[in-house]
């Protein structure tokens, strides 16, 4: 059986819960439970390095280890079993870390802290363990939504394809903050201009670059839109060229859009809608990067938080938080359309799906 390892991050209520580990059969789409790494406090967001031998989990809490901040935990991945062995945990200079990005050389980990509205960089040691933060920045401000935008709330931090720039969408201040990233010192320097703004109340959340490195896509949680940008690799600047809705035309209920992923060949973009509980599908124009809506597919559960695409690009996995299940959808090789496979697994309060980069047996 050709398969890949899949790790699921969760909100934990029981010490026996934690990071769930599966094998995804990339021929059929079946998910098979392999094990659970328990006693990991709220492993909300997970990333695996390119070598596939280290995993990092953001502990989405406001205080841990006697400190008034969240942390990131480091694990070694067993070469055959995929078992996780705890290496260490380091604070991240902010509360409720909700997003992690790895620099490709494996030397630096970037962290977005939601509750404090801050970003940080942590060094990665030779054995994969984490060092104390090398840099951090506190965002300031607020916006028009009094309930959700009373202060800064960083929801992600993403490096551009050249890894010269870092982008931190901040839901609370309706801006994507832009930093120059120094991979020698592990530091972030505000760019000039230091941000790009969104519509008031948009609520910037997740951010993705097109595989060709020319375009970028911002998912806004509060007004459920996508913004499309031209990206200037020389200056880090973003120029907005399109904004369009993620939700169905006939839907007028609650919606909190959540995650964005692009098919590796760059022709299709997917975004999750929590409320209508579907996945929006858009075609991407190869020349301009502009989006064209092509439909919505049921997430087969309630409150789809996060999605992941396997390395073969045959399957998309969705974490349905309110249904406590992860579902597998087949990706049409030509159109990119999604079709339920019928495969799903129970996971308590699943938030993040992290698919290891290499196919095994």
């Amino acid at each position: 059986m050709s398969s890949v390892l899949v790790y699921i991050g969760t909100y934990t209520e029981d010490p026996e819960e934690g990071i769930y580990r599966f094998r995804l059969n990339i021929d059929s789409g079946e998910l098979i439970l392999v094990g659970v790494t328990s006693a990991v406090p709220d492993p909300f967001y997970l990333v695996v390095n390119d070598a596939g031998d280290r995993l990092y989990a953001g502990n989405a809490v406001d205080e841990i280890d006697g400190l008034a901040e969240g942390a990131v935990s480091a694990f070694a991945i067993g070469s055959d079993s995929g078992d996780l062995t705890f290496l260490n945990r380091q604070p991240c200079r902010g509360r409720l870390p909700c997003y992690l990005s790895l620099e490709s050389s494996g030397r630096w980990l970037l962290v977005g802290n939601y509750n404090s509205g801050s970003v940080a960089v942590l060094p990665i040691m030779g054995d994969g363990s984490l060092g104390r933060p090398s840099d951090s920045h506190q965002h300031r401000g607020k916006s028009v939504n009094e309930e959700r935008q009373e202060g800064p709330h960083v929801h992600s931090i993403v490096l551009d394809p050249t890894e010269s720039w870092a982008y931190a969408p901040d839901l609370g201040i309706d801006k994507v903050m832009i930093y120059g990233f120094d991979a020698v010192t592990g530091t972030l320097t505000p760019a000039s201009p230091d941000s790009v703004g969104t519509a008031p109340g948009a609520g910037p959340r997740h951010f993705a670059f097109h595989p060709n490195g020319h375009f970028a896509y911002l998912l806004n949680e509060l007004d459920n839109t996508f913004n499309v940008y031209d990206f200037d690799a020389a200056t880090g600047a973003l120029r907005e060229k399109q904004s369009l809705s993620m939700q169905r035309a006939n839907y007028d209920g609650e919606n909190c859009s959540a995650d964005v992923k692009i098919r590796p060949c760059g022709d299709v973009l997917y975004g999750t809608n929590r409320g209508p509980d579907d996945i929006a599908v858009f075609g991407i124009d190869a020349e301009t990067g502009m989006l064209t809506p092509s439909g919505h597919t049921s997430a087969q559960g309630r409150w789809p938080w996060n999605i992941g695409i396997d390395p073969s690009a045959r399957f998309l996995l969705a974490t349905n938080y309110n249904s406590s299940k992860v579902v597998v959808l087949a990706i049409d090789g030509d159109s990119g359309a999604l079709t339920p496979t019928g495969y799903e697994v129970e996971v308590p309060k699943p938030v993040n799906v992290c698919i290891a980069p290499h196919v095994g047996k």
Side-chain angles (χ1 to χ4, degrees):
M1 177 185 76
S2 295
S3 67
V4 291
L5 283 166
V6 177
Y7 297 92
I8 304 296
T10 66
Y11 269 128
T12 56
E13 295 181 343
D14 185 316
E16 297 302 314
E17 298 170 358
I19 301 171
Y20 286 71
R21 185 171 76 258
F22 295 87
R23 283 275 179 190
L24 171 67
N25 183 321
I26 62 171
D27 296 317
S28 68
E30 182 180 10
L31 274 175
I32 302 170
L33 179 65
V34 179
V36 182
T37 302
S38 58
V40 185
D42 289 336
F44 181 97
Y45 198 89
L46 314 175
V47 290
V48 172
N49 65 351
D50 288 344
D53 60 0
R54 297 292 184 269
L55 179 144
Y56 301 92
N59 302 114
V61 296
D62 286 345
E63 55 183 57
I64 195 171
D65 300 329
L67 300 173
E69 57 185 308
V72 181
S73 296
F75 298 86
I77 299 176
S79 58
D80 295 322
S81 64
D83 288 348
L84 299 180
T85 301
F86 180 73
L87 297 175
N88 77 332
R89 183 162 62 218
Q90 289 285 6
C92 57
R93 292 188 184 167
R95 293 176 287 111
L96 205 154
C98 68
Y99 201 99
L100 308 176
S101 284
L102 279 169
E103 179 257 348
S104 62
S105 74
R107 293 183 297 165
W108 306 104
L109 179 76
L110 285 71
V111 186
N113 297 304
Y114 181 82
N115 276 355
S116 57
S118 59
V119 297
V121 183
L122 278 65
I124 299 174
M125 306 294 101
D127 64 352
S129 63
L130 294 167
R132 302 283 289 186
S134 58
D135 196 13
S136 63
H137 292 261
Q138 176 64 54
H139 295 181
R140 303 191 183 280
K142 60 182 180 178
S143 195
V144 297
N145 186 319
E146 295 182 358
E147 181 180 353
R148 297 291 308 278
Q149 297 181 309
E150 81 297 342
H153 293 299
V154 174
H155 225 311
S156 57
I157 183 164
V158 176
L159 287 167
D160 81 290
T162 72
E163 300 192 327
S164 299
W165 308 98
Y167 297 81
D170 193 312
L171 179 145
I173 62 176
D174 282 328
K175 292 180 179 180
V176 179
M177 303 303 293
I178 307 173
Y179 297 93
F181 176 65
D182 188 326
V184 176
T185 61
T187 54
L188 297 166
T189 302
S192 181
D194 66 358
S195 64
V196 60
T198 66
R205 180 181 171 99
H206 282 188
F207 194 77
F209 280 92
H210 192 276
N212 69 13
H214 299 314
F215 316 117
Y217 302 87
L218 172 67
L219 178 149
N220 296 299
E221 175 179 341
L222 301 183
D223 72 357
N224 311 298
T225 59
F226 271 124
N227 293 351
V228 182
Y229 301 93
D230 283 324
F231 166 59
D232 186 334
T235 66
L238 300 172
R239 182 181 66 84
E240 184 178 333
K241 60 194 298 183
Q242 185 184 23
S243 181
L244 71 173
S245 176
M246 289 181 60
Q247 63 184 44
R248 302 191 306 268
N250 61 347
Y251 181 80
D252 60 1
E254 178 188 22
N255 191 6
C256 295
S257 299
D259 195 24
V260 54
K261 291 292 186 297
I262 298 173
R263 188 155 70 158
C265 60
D267 63 343
V268 180
L269 178 146
Y270 304 96
T272 60
N273 287 307
R274 298 175 299 180
D277 299 333
D278 61 31
I279 300 170
V281 184
F282 296 82
I284 302 176
D285 184 279
E287 297 298 321
T288 66
M290 303 277 272
L291 299 178
T292 300
S294 61
H296 295 77
T297 300
S298 170
Q300 305 297 302
R302 292 179 290 114
W303 215 250
W305 204 301
N306 188 238
I307 51 179
I309 298 173
D310 86 278
S312 73
R314 296 184 62 188
F315 299 104
L316 181 146
L317 280 64
T319 58
N320 286 289
Y321 181 82
N322 285 351
S323 299
S324 287
K325 67 178 180 179
V326 179
V327 303
V328 182
L329 302 167
I331 302 173
D332 182 86
D334 294 323
S335 68
L338 302 174
T339 304
T341 63
Y343 290 116
E344 59 183 52
V345 291
E346 293 185 6
V347 178
K349 294 187 178 352
V351 180
N352 176 245
V353 53
C354 177
I355 302 175
H358 303 299
V359 177
K361 294 291 186 182

